[in-house]
Amino acid sequence: MNSSITRPNILVARRIFPEGIERLEAICDIDYVDQIEPLTKVELSERLKDKDGALVTGSERIDADTLKDAKALKIISNIAVGFNNFDVDAFNQKGIIGTNTPDVLTDTTADMGFALLMAISRRLSEAERWLRDGQWHHWEMGRMLGVDIHHSTLGIMGMGRIGQAIAKRGLAFGMNVIYYNRKPLSKDLEQACQATYVDKETLLKNADHVMLVMPYSADSHHFIGAKELAMMKSTATLVNIARGGIVDDNALVEALQRNQIFGAGLDVYEGEPKLHPGLLDLPNVVLAPHIGSATEKTRYSMMNLAIDNLLAGLAGEKPKTMINPEIWGK
Ligand code: GLV
């Protein structure tokens, strides 16, 4: 441990598992926000003033304003792989380390992408609502007809770790996998996923199922809007397990109302936890409350990796999954 800090003073900005608090208590003095509601921006910045480190979730927005009075802060550890809640330039200006939780959630989140893909393609939510409603009296030839997943074309937008894990699931279903990414994968990785790089328009026009797995940034804001939805097949599904804001929810609701595409499976929303009200009335959408990484094993792994990162940073060691390695050693 850095000799200038004997017992670091940290903020835990949201309720975590008790085992995490026990680990941290052995080493740190904790200002624990033991609640599921996020702090307001003003409260967050007030609480960060005297802290050496902080553990936050993907819904704590940390920017220059939040950090302005934080004099001692060395590290903020995000319990999420996506870190669009961090203004990395503001971190770099103050020499604050930022960390995230990649790898440990890759397969769990890929499973969720597939769960939404299967649920919307086979109309599971709609069928269950209908059944619970007492409407099932006869077998019917044309009842709840879906679209096939097996041997169809899966189009993945964003071919990072999670995108690649989804591609491998697609292969097991005999799917033809195409993908779009800022950069094509190396030939080795492409071969491991048996995936073919195409441009955005080719993917939208050819995919039977479009899966969004890219990070959110100013560049990917409304990456899927009215124009892109119009390019998709009328039998295609759209799944978003990435971030709200990548899809223009207004355009999506309109497209779904007109049955312009077959349906959508969504785990993330613009302005969540608020939802576009139109989504709730649509039969052709499966809605999940941002639970892509939510299995017990994975959430513990994320918490423990975030704590490892925090403790390493406080001890003057390089955290395992640092998002701004460019400031290390400066
Ligand atoms: C969840 O959305 C994450 O980024 O981990």
Side-chain angles (χ1 to χ4, degrees), residues 80-82 105 242-243 290 302:
V81 65
L105 48 60
R243 278 288 180 274
H290 202 149
M302 290 166 68

Side-chain angles (χ1 to χ4, degrees), residues 58 78-84 101 105 109 241-243 267-268 290 292-293 299 302:
N78 209 23
I79 314 176
V81 65
F83 52 87
N84 55 299
T101 59
L105 48 60
T109 309
I241 52 165
R243 278 288 180 274
D267 190 39
V268 288
H290 202 149
S293 63
R299 284 286 165 86
M302 290 166 68

Side-chain angles (χ1 to χ4, degrees), residues 150-308:
H150 69 88
H151 301 102
S152 64
T153 294
L154 173 60
I156 302 173
M157 298 278 198
M159 202 59 157
R161 305 171 192 86
I162 301 172
Q164 291 170 44
I166 288 166
K168 288 174 186 160
R169 283 157 179 73
L171 295 181
F173 279 72
M175 295 171 99
N176 165 39
V177 182
I178 56 178
Y179 75 98
Y180 171 74
N181 202 38
R182 273 170 304 181
K183 283 195 304 208
L185 296 181
S186 69
K187 288 291 157 219
D188 285 355
L189 287 179
E190 261 189 1
Q191 201 157 9
C193 301
Q194 291 176 44
T196 306
Y197 181 82
V198 294
D199 61 40
K200 179 178 174 184
E201 190 171 332
T202 305
L203 186 146
L204 290 167
K205 287 183 172 161
N206 288 282
D208 297 306
H209 304 285
V210 176
M211 178 89 65
L212 303 175
V213 209
M214 68 233 287
Y216 178 75
S217 68
D219 290 342
S220 60
H221 181 71
H222 287 185
F223 188 76
I224 301 292
K227 184 172 118 226
E228 287 76 18
L229 290 160
M231 288 180 194
M232 290 174 63
K233 297 182 185 181
S234 59
T235 49
T237 70
L238 176 73
V239 171
N240 187 5
I241 52 165
R243 278 288 180 274
I246 292 178
V247 177
D248 175 347
D249 284 351
N250 221 7
L252 178 63
V253 166
E254 281 176 19
L256 290 168
Q257 281 168 344
R258 291 199 303 269
N259 293 311
Q260 196 181 334
I261 62 171
F262 184 79
L266 305 174
D267 190 39
V268 288
Y269 309 85
E270 279 193 285
E272 64 185 53
K274 288 201 192 102
L275 296 196
H276 187 299
L279 286 171
L280 296 174
D281 298 329
L282 285 166
N284 47 351
V285 69
V286 175
L287 305 172
H290 202 149
I291 53 169
S293 63
T295 65
E296 188 173 344
K297 186 160 171 270
T298 293
R299 284 286 165 86
Y300 269 92
S301 301
M302 290 166 68
M303 179 185 79
N304 281 318
L305 174 55
I307 291 174
D308 292 345

Side-chain angles (χ1 to χ4, degrees), residues 111-133 136 143-149 173 209 237 239 262-266 282-288:
D111 285 349
M112 183 67 185
F114 239 80
L116 286 172
L117 164 61
M118 296 183 80
I120 187 60
S121 298
R122 301 304 301 272
R123 303 172 64 173
L124 277 189
S125 297
E126 186 188 355
E128 183 174 358
R129 279 192 299 271
W130 180 82
L131 179 152
R132 285 178 188 269
D133 210 29
W136 186 24
R143 169 71 47 210
M144 292 290 161
L145 302 182
V147 290
D148 278 326
I149 298 151
F173 279 72
H209 304 285
T237 70
V239 171
F262 184 79
L266 305 174
L282 285 166
N284 47 351
V285 69
V286 175
L287 305 172

Side-chain angles (χ1 to χ4, degrees), residues 20-80:
I21 294 297
E22 278 164 32
R23 272 191 75 191
L24 289 165
E25 261 169 359
I27 296 167
C28 309
D29 289 335
I30 310 179
D31 175 8
Y32 185 24
V33 184
D34 185 8
Q35 62 183 42
I36 54 169
E37 299 81 16
L39 294 173
T40 63
K41 205 168 160 50
V42 174
E43 286 167 338
L44 186 56
S45 117
E46 187 63 29
R47 298 236 198 177
L48 283 173
K49 267 185 184 171
D50 59 343
K51 300 300 185 306
D52 302 303
L55 195 65
V56 303
T57 74
S59 29
E60 270 78 49
R61 170 89 192 134
I62 315 277
D63 55 19
D65 214 31
T66 330
L67 295 174
K68 70 179 184 323
D69 297 323
K71 301 280 183 280
L73 205 56
K74 293 187 168 39
I75 174 163
I76 306 187
S77 174
N78 209 23
I79 314 176

